[in-house]
Amino acid sequence: MAGGIAEVVARAGMRAILRARSEASAATAVKQVTSGLARQVDKGKLDAAERDRILANITTATDLGALGACDIIIESVVEDLATKQQLFRDLDAVATPRAILATNTSTLPVVEMAKVVRQPERVCGIHFFNPAQVLPLVEIVRPITASDDTINRSVTFVKAIGKDGVNVLDRAGFIVNALLFPYLNNAIRMLEDGTASMEDIDTAMKGGCNFPMGPFALLDLVGLDTSLSILDTLHASFGDENFAPRPMLRKLVAEGRLGRKTKAGFYVY
Ligand code: 3HC
């Protein structure tokens, strides 16, 4: 997701610093961006000069200090609150006071990240959708602590990168995941029950609802580990059984079948 976000920002003519814990993971993210852009050049959708301009706007770093002059910092690390909170503490120490500190969390309470920094008013959620380069939506999530200035500047930023922003309060799953994940979870239940095959459920939802992909293909795209943590958080927040992650999902995650990124999830790639 981080590479996709960096590409969107760079495409809009802004400089993006892609910060990762290791040079190797930063290089992998840039490689993904580079090959995505190369495909577009091959298809005649992007010219080579534009590709070079986009790539020139992206630099990488491992040291958090490199983010010191950024106007906006978007965290997109693993969906684990303690990890995110530690990152926000570290960002608080290096970021310029005017910077917005945003999280791309799928479901975790944004306020929990806001409360570990010295200026909680500058923290909000800026939530992209997979693949970030393609999907137009961004949810701008307002925790109770955020200032109007933080939200207004985030709205302006989202517009400037060419996305469609929607405003939502800091409630687990925000808009999209709160509505999408009961559907995905119930598709797994239907497969467990033997009602239909995975392929037929995917075909049915594509052909019957005109969805671009069926629930199992989408779970594999999002990542089964990410999907499991989203459902766990939604279930803990709302207590609704539709959010209780299905055993088959837990089993696949335990087996390391995490979706497209591990070349196997519900499907094998
Ligand atoms: N990364 C970058 N670009 C990608 C991509 C990827 N992983 N997958 C596809 N694309 C691009 C292609 O290059 C192509 O670009 P072009 O039109 O400029 O040539 C365009 O997307 C269309 O791709 P394809 O023609 O190969 O395939 P499709 O038309 O089937 O589209 C799809 C693929 C965009 C993934 C489409 O199936 C889709 O929109 N699926 C639904 C995705 C969705 O629902 N996402 C939300 C998930 S929930 C979420 O993200 C929340 C989070 O918190 C977990």
Side-chain angles (χ1 to χ4, degrees):
M1 185 65 108
I5 298 171
E7 181 184 321
V8 169
V9 170
R11 218 177 247 274
M14 297 175 214
R15 288 181 46 223
I17 303 173
L18 222 169
R19 186 268 169 182
R21 278 178 302 176
S22 70
E23 293 286 358
S25 47
T28 303
V30 171
K31 207 169 139 202
Q32 278 162 2
V33 173
T34 308
S35 59
L37 294 176
R39 268 198 307 275
Q40 300 228 335
V41 173
D42 290 345
K43 286 184 192 167
K45 293 192 167 178
L46 187 71
D47 66 41
E50 180 64 0
R51 174 202 57 202
D52 294 344
R53 189 191 64 76
I54 295 169
L55 287 173
N57 278 342
I58 304 176
T59 52
T60 61
T62 50
D63 181 9
L64 270 190
L67 308 182
C70 291
D71 295 312
I72 182 156
I73 300 176
I74 304 173
E75 163 284 309
S76 189
V77 302
V78 64
E79 284 291 285
D80 173 68
L81 184 57
T83 307
K84 287 187 189 282
Q85 283 180 320
Q86 187 53 50
L87 182 57
F88 270 80
R89 279 187 205 101
D90 296 342
L91 286 172
D92 194 34
V94 297
T96 169
R98 70 167 190 281
I100 291 173
L101 304 182
T103 172
N104 181 44
T105 183
S106 306
T107 34
L108 293 169
V110 177
V111 72
E112 295 297 327
M113 287 158 251
K115 74 186 194 194
V116 302
V117 305
R118 285 168 297 175
Q119 298 164 264
E121 63 276 12
R122 63 162 157 168
V123 175
C124 70
I126 296 186
H127 181 217
F128 290 80
F129 292 82
N130 280 299
Q133 300 92 322
V134 184
L135 266 69
L137 186 73
V138 172
E139 290 175 326
I140 299 154
V141 185
R142 177 172 205 141
I144 195 165
T145 40
S147 65
D148 287 346
D149 180 59
T150 296
I151 300 301
N152 293 340
R153 284 199 291 144
S154 299
V155 168
T156 304
F157 167 74
V158 167
K159 246 188 224 151
I161 59 171
K163 295 290 186 190
D164 300 331
V166 290
N167 294 289
V168 54
L169 294 181
D170 187 18
R171 182 169 174 267
F174 316 128
I175 300 171
V176 174
N177 286 341
L179 295 175
L180 175 66
F181 274 83
Y183 153 67
L184 296 177
N185 204 32
N186 277 308
I188 306 174
R189 183 202 304 265
M190 191 176 267
L191 177 65
E192 288 170 344
D193 290 349
T195 306
S197 70
M198 180 170 79
E199 291 79 3
D200 280 354
I201 296 170
D202 271 359
T203 301
M205 295 313 292
K206 282 200 297 183
C209 294
N210 214 13
F211 287 175
M213 59 201 334
F216 296 100
L218 183 53
L219 281 157
D220 279 352
L221 175 72
V222 168
L224 303 192
D225 51 343
T226 304
S227 300
L228 179 58
S229 75
I230 290 171
L231 284 163
D232 273 331
T233 306
L234 288 167
H235 189 227
S237 297
F238 300 118
D240 180 333
E241 280 311 296
N242 284 304
F243 292 124
R246 299 301 309 166
M248 191 181 280
L249 180 63
R250 283 202 192 282
K251 182 169 175 289
L252 288 169
V253 172
E255 288 169 351
R257 292 177 64 128
L258 307 182
R260 282 196 194 189
K261 62 187 164 189
T262 57
K263 311 246 180 290
F266 283 98
Y267 292 101
V268 174
Y269 297 88

